[in-house]
Amino acid sequence: MENLAHAQKEYTAFKERGLSLDITRGKPSVEQLDLSADLLTNVTNETATAADGTDTRNYGGLKGLTELREIFSPLLQVPTQQLFAQGNSSLVLMSQVLQFHLLHDSPDGTAWAGKKRAILCPVPGYDRHFGLAESLGFELIPIEMDDEGPVLEQVAEYASRDDVKGMWVVPAYSNPTGINVSPERAQALAEMPASADFKLFWDNAYALHHLDDNNQAPVLDILDVCSKAGNPNRVWIFASTSKVTQAGAGVAFIGSSQQNMEWYESCLSPTCIGPDKINHLRHARFFRSADGVRAHMQAHAAILQPKFELVEKVLDRDLGSIEGVSWTQPHGGYFITLTVPHGTASRIVELAAQAGVKLTPAGSTHPYGEDPTDSIIRLAPSMPTLEELEVAIEGLVACVRAAVAERTEG
């Protein structure tokens, strides 16, 4: 009981500090947002004409501004003609694609509405992917991840079913584990026997968010891989500048095969006259080139890397000796996954909230918010200052110690 008493005393002391800290979501810090402040003033009424003569203040241009698409084409491994730049949210584009498939016959099958439908969900994974699909009536089927991506045997078990319409994939620095899909696994997913309209929803949300210049995950040319595998229409690619420039005023991108993009444009055109080309022009002028984007991302890394290193240092120092506790050490992205002894994650999150530290709800990394082991906690180090982050993680340590002691000795 001595360990329990000590852990409870440590937790009580932290709770009495009366803190209010939030590490729930991967929001850019103010310092990161300031990196792109110039794009807010680089277009005026007199300079709103794009390089190709487009008056960005007017209607039209459903695909988005060409000069911005040309900058991001090599970064995302999508030909410019097959890459559309749209509004500020890639999640909206994912919603569009799912809804278009529900409502319209596609090049590979009939409309999905009115049919039983399911989607594969690698876990731990991104809660907004899961919530979006659930809201549209998809059954969520969890798929385990290994060090190379979704476990192929589990994917193959479901992919040939007519009702399984696709799978979410975050190929680089996945949310929340930081796992990178290997080229071999990507090829296997492209070649895998599946129903004719099975899709890979390939979310390159973190593809440019490297932390370490020496360990950069490559952006896989999944379009080429799928084409060579004989399944050119299998993949939809998404990305955005939400964590690159201004989180609420970035630009989202969608790409796929030529046939898919022609179909997408035909579905989109009745709903939209054109995206915000002024914002596209702001971004094109701010970045100037693909190399400009890469340089900008190095500035982000200089801010983020010390925060990740701090979290790993505190966890190693204070939790490294506790059995059943481990954490990821990603080379990019926005998250660290903390694994705790089974059955303690919910209690840790509860204790942290009571002490003034908000964590992502336990279970949010799994479909329907249900982590069967209650052992996964997603940490988002980006938004707090280093000083705030250190306090928050030290408080998290106290919560972990208290919850583990309660379970083993209480």
Side-chain angles (χ1 to χ4, degrees), residues 61-65 68-69 84-89 93 96 250-254 264 268 272 274-277 279-280:
L62 194 60
K63 295 181 180 181
L65 202 65
L68 181 63
R69 291 158 54 217
F84 288 14
Q86 296 293 292
N88 72 314
S89 170
L93 301 183
Q96 282 182 340
V251 178
F253 299 90
I254 180 171
Y264 173 79
L268 180 66
C272 179
D276 182 353
K277 296 184 298 298
N279 196 34
H280 292 185

Side-chain angles (χ1 to χ4, degrees), residues 1 31 45 57 81 109 123 164 190 249 293 303 308 310 337 346 378 381 389-390:
M1 299 296 291
E31 189 179 6
N45 199 47
R57 302 170 301 172
Q81 282 302 110
V123 295
V164 175
V293 178
I303 297 170
F308 278 75
L310 173 64
T337 298
S346 295
R378 187 183 75 173
L389 181 61
E390 185 168 17

Side-chain angles (χ1 to χ4, degrees), residues 36-50:
S36 55
D38 287 351
L39 70 78
L40 299 179
T41 56
N42 68 15
V43 175
T44 67
N45 199 47
E46 293 74 26
T47 63
T49 302

Side-chain angles (χ1 to χ4, degrees), residues 123-124 338-346 361-377:
V123 295
L338 176 66
T339 301
V340 294
H342 288 195
T344 63
S346 295
S364 63
T365 55
H366 288 66
Y368 307 111
E370 299 173 0
D371 173 4
T373 64
D374 190 24
S375 65
I376 301 297
I377 297 174

Side-chain angles (χ1 to χ4, degrees), residues 24-87:
T24 55
R25 304 213 71 89
K27 295 181 179 180
S29 65
V30 171
E31 189 179 6
Q32 288 176 265
L33 296 174
D34 286 346
L35 292 174
S36 55
D38 287 351
L39 70 78
L40 299 179
T41 56
N42 68 15
V43 175
T44 67
N45 199 47
E46 293 74 26
T47 63
T49 302
D52 63 359
T54 298
D55 184 343
T56 60
R57 302 170 301 172
N58 220 325
Y59 289 125
L62 194 60
K63 295 181 180 181
L65 202 65
T66 301
E67 61 194 275
L68 181 63
R69 291 158 54 217
E70 288 174 343
I71 289 172
F72 277 85
S73 171
L75 294 169
L76 299 175
Q77 298 279 24
V78 180
T80 301
Q81 282 302 110
Q82 294 163 229
L83 182 68
F84 288 14
Q86 296 293 292

